[in-house]
Amino acid sequence: MSSAPSPPPNRKAKSKTVNAMGIITIEKAGEHEDQEVTLRGWLYNLRESGKLLFPIFRDGTGLIQGVVSQKEQPDAFAALRGLTQESSVEITGKIRREPRAPGGYEIGVSRVQVLQRVPESEPYPIQLKEHGVDFLLDRRHLWVRTPRQASILRIRAETSRAAREFMDSQGYTLTDAPIFTPAACEGTTTLFEVQYVDDEKAYLTQSGQLYVEALAAALGKVYCFGPTFRAEKSKTRRHLTEFWMLEPEAAYAHLEDMMTLGEGLVSHIVQSVLRNRAREIETLKRDASKLEPVKPPFPRITYEQALEILRQHGHDVKWGDDFGGDEETTLSQQFDRPVMIHRYPASIKAFYMEPDSARPDLALGFDVLASEGYGEIIGGGERISSYELLLKRLREQKLPEQAFQWYLDLRRYGSVPHAGFGMGLERVVAWICGTEHVREVIPFPRMIYRVYP
RNA sequence: UGGGGCGUGGUCCAACCGGUAGGACACCGCACUGUUAAUGCGGAUGGUGAAGGUUCGAAUCCUUCCGCCCCAGCCA
C-alpha cells in the first residue's frame, strides 16, 4: 500500500473517491488522471502482444485496461503473464488518458498482487464467447460477473429506487404485506404450500393486494413492494415462480386515479434509468430512443376499442375473449409508449373487481402493456366495495369464505371506493433492458423446475 | 397439461435420405512493443443424454425414458 501516495490535500473533490488505503473504483478512474492509484478486482481478460501485456480488470464498477511493458515493469509483467481469467488481483499504477483504450483511460501497471490465482487445471468456465442459456443458468453465480449481467442488475436497482421515490413523492406509505398467507388471493391451484407451525398449512403469497386494501383503509394511500410466488407451470419468457411486485392501493380512489398513477410511475422509472444508468443502457446496446418517449400521458383505450384495432389487423377476437401474447404485441405496436387498456369484460377479470355502474358487464380494471411487444407490466383497477356483492362473488368462485372473513370486514366497517394495481418488477426491467427473458433480470431466477443455484 | 423444437469434446456448432465422428473457441507452448472477444504457427486433451430394437454396420432409422428450450392456458 505504501506505493500508493496520498492525494494532495488541496484536491478535496478528488480525494473523496480515494479511501484511506489509496484505493479507487474503476468508474472514478477518470478523476485520477496522472495519479498513481490502487485498484482491487479481478482479471477479466488478458491480451498479449510481444513484450506488452494488456490486462483488463474489473472491480464491479466497470472495466479498465492495463498496460505492462516487460522492459519497463518486469515484476508486474512476470506476475500478470499467463494469469488466468477471474483471478483476484490488487494492482497499482498510474491512470492516464488513452484514446486507444476502451473507456478512454488505462492504467500503467507498476505493481501487482495476486490474491488468488484461478488454477489452469480448472479454468473459469464462462468464456468471453457465446454460451447456451442452460449452461449459463447453471452457473448463474458466476454469470452475474459479466458486464452485461452486472448492468442489468444495476438497472434493476435503479428501477426499484425510482419506483419507491415516485410512490413516496405521491404521498404513498410503504407498508409490507406478509409472505405467509392462510389462503389464496385468486385461486388455489398456483400456490406454494408450506408446513406452518405444528400441523397448520400456510401458503406463500401470490399477491399483497388483499392486505394493502386493509392498510389503505388505515393509512389512506399505501403500497407494498416485495416478492410473490406462483407455482404455475408457465415456462415462458415472461414468467418466474418467484418475482417482485409493487402494489399501490388507495382509499377513495377510482380507476382513472390508478391509471394516472401507473403512467406516472412507469414514466418516472424509465426517465430515471435513462438519466442515471445511461452507461448501462449503452453496455446493453439498448436503443434509448425507444424509451425516451415514455412520458405521460399514455394512450388510454377501452377493451372494446382494442377489439376494433385487433380486428383491423386481422385478429379473430370475439367480445369476451382475453388477449394473448399475439394480441398484446399488435396493440403495443400501435403506440410509441405503453398503452393502457381499461374496462374489460367482468367475466375475464378477478372476482374482486368493481363492475362499471354504466355497464355492469364490464369491470373497472386496466392493464398497462409495455411498448415493443413486451406485454403486460401492470394490472389493476377498482375493488368491489359492497359487502353483498363481494360475498356473492366469493361464493360464485367457490373460495373458502372462512379465510376471507377479515377481507369482508373491510366492507363491514366503513367501506369506501378504493383502487390499486400490481406492477411486475421483472417485466418492467426486462422491457427497459430489452432482454429476451425475465430470468436475466433477477439475480437468482426461480422457475418451474429450477431452484439452483 | 397440450403443441412444436432440441440433446454430439470444457464451450458453441457441423456430420443426420445408415458406411473411418469433424471444426471453431477454450487450454498449453512459441513469435510479435498498442492490443480491442488481438493475431499467426505448433501441441495435448477429450464427445454422440439413457435403455432397448432394426441392421453386416446407428450420432443418423424405430420404441420408451430423462433433461432443456419455445408457444398456449394463467398471470405481473
Side-chain angles (χ1 to χ4, degrees):
Chain A
M1 283 309 79
S2 55
S3 61
S6 301
N10 60 333
R11 303 178 74 169
K12 279 174 86 177
K14 292 191 176 182
S15 69
K16 271 194 220 165
T17 64
V18 180
N19 76 4
M21 318 251 304
I23 289 162
I24 68 157
T25 56
I26 290 170
E27 65 180 346
K28 304 287 188 191
E31 298 173 21
H32 298 273
E33 193 177 340
D34 298 326
Q35 295 173 27
E36 187 163 78
V37 299
T38 296
L39 299 171
R40 295 194 292 206
W42 295 262
L43 183 65
Y44 176 71
N45 192 20
L46 179 65
R47 287 191 295 267
E48 223 182 306
S49 178
K51 302 293 182 284
L52 276 184
L53 293 179
F54 296 97
I56 296 183
F57 302 103
R58 47 164 282 265
D59 72 346
T61 71
L63 297 174
I64 191 167
Q65 172 173 293
V67 195
V68 195
S69 154
Q70 184 174 34
K71 202 162 87 184
E72 288 158 36
Q73 307 291 353
D75 293 345
F77 188 93
L80 281 171
R81 190 172 142 75
L83 190 60
T84 40
Q85 191 190 355
E86 287 299 315
S87 290
S88 42
V89 288
E90 186 172 295
I91 58 163
T92 299
K94 191 185 256 188
I95 300 288
R96 51 179 179 254
R97 192 187 296 276
E98 173 52 70
R100 287 170 295 189
Y105 291 91
E106 68 180 15
I107 181 166
V109 181
S110 54
R111 189 175 157 279
V112 176
Q113 187 187 349
V114 177
L115 281 85
Q116 189 251 331
R117 182 191 183 91
V118 174
E120 281 88 351
S121 56
E122 280 183 274
Y124 185 68
I126 298 180
Q127 304 169 19
L128 271 43
K129 306 237 172 186
E130 77 285 351
H131 291 289
V133 180
D134 204 41
F135 177 85
L136 291 169
L137 282 174
D138 280 340
R139 292 156 187 79
R140 182 62 175 171
H141 53 295
L142 301 175
W143 187 22
V144 288
R145 298 184 185 192
T146 63
R148 180 182 162 80
Q149 295 305 314
S151 295
I152 289 171
L153 294 181
R154 286 181 188 281
I155 289 171
R156 176 190 173 95
E158 176 63 15
T159 300
S160 293
R161 191 203 62 74
R164 289 196 305 271
E165 176 180 76
F166 180 81
M167 294 310 299
D168 295 345
S169 78
Q170 299 299 302
Y172 282 73
T173 301
L174 178 64
T175 55
D176 303 313
I179 303 291
F180 289 125
T181 62
C185 169
E186 292 172 30
T188 51
T189 53
T190 68
L191 286 167
F192 283 103
E193 189 180 287
V194 294
Q195 167 88 48
Y196 208 57
V197 182
D198 294 333
D199 283 336
E200 278 214 68
K201 290 270 195 290
Y203 306 91
L204 298 183
T205 183
Q206 58 181 185
S207 169
Q209 184 204 314
L210 272 44
Y211 295 94
V212 287
E213 282 188 53
L215 294 160
L219 301 169
K221 297 198 285 189
V222 300
Y223 68 105
C224 65
F225 189 23
T228 50
F229 308 87
R230 296 194 186 166
E232 288 160 355
K233 296 193 174 175
S234 301
K235 304 200 325 181
T236 77
R237 63 168 60 120
R238 297 212 273 274
H239 289 88
L240 296 167
T241 53
E242 178 183 322
F243 64 98
W244 281 59
M245 192 153 64
L246 186 152
E247 295 175 278
E249 192 74 29
Y252 293 102
H254 295 280
L255 174 64
E256 277 68 23
D257 300 319
M258 282 303 126
M259 292 169 76
T260 300
L261 185 72
E263 72 186 358
L265 173 61
V266 170
S267 301
H268 182 74
I269 289 168
V270 169
Q271 297 303 322
S272 295
V273 170
L274 288 175
R275 187 169 59 248
N276 301 325
R277 290 293 168 197
R279 193 186 310 165
E280 283 76 12
I281 292 288
E282 172 91 29
T283 298
L284 297 174
K285 296 188 170 62
R286 175 67 164 127
D287 184 357
S289 72
K290 292 280 191 352
L291 297 172
E292 280 153 9
V294 180
K295 293 175 181 171
F298 293 172
R300 301 182 182 195
I301 61 174
T302 65
Y303 170 82
E304 289 172 356
Q305 288 168 330
L307 279 185
E308 277 308 304
I309 293 172
L310 290 171
R311 284 173 186 150
Q312 282 164 19
H313 287 81
H315 289 270
D316 179 28
V317 279
K318 296 186 297 293
W319 196 97
D321 289 346
D322 206 351
F323 301 145
D326 290 348
E327 284 79 22
E328 288 188 352
T329 300
T330 298
L331 289 169
S332 72
Q333 282 169 349
Q334 309 307 309
F335 308 97
D336 69 346
R337 63 195 74 190
V339 55
M340 301 200 279
I341 300 165
H342 56 99
R343 291 178 169 79
Y344 284 81
S347 54
I348 58 173
K349 286 291 166 184
F351 74 92
Y352 48 71
M353 285 233 185
E354 181 79 29
D356 188 348
S357 55
R359 283 277 307 275
D361 56 329
L362 298 180
L364 291 175
F366 78 109
D367 287 345
V368 178
L369 305 184
S371 38
E372 300 164 82
Y374 269 88
E376 185 180 344
I377 51 174
I378 282 179
E382 212 165 315
R383 325 302 191 188
I384 289 174
S385 56
S386 151
Y387 175 85
E388 290 73 21
L389 181 57
L390 184 61
L391 187 62
K392 182 165 169 262
R393 289 286 158 81
L394 281 171
R395 286 176 177 163
E396 282 167 7
Q397 301 285 319
K398 297 190 168 57
L399 290 167
E401 252 175 80
Q402 199 52 41
F404 284 94
Q405 283 308 311
W406 71 266
Y407 187 59
L408 285 161
D409 268 358
L410 305 178
R411 279 74 181 171
R412 286 188 185 104
Y413 305 112
S415 189
V416 296
H418 61 290
F421 63 77
M423 181 186 81
L425 177 67
E426 286 75 17
R427 288 190 180 176
V428 171
V429 177
W431 164 55
I432 292 174
C433 292
T435 63
E436 193 71 14
H437 198 297
V438 290
R439 69 188 150 209
E440 263 188 278
V441 308
I442 187 167
F444 292 94
R446 287 331 180 209
M447 293 174 298
I448 193 83
Y449 309 134
R450 177 180 283 281
V451 288
Y452 179 91

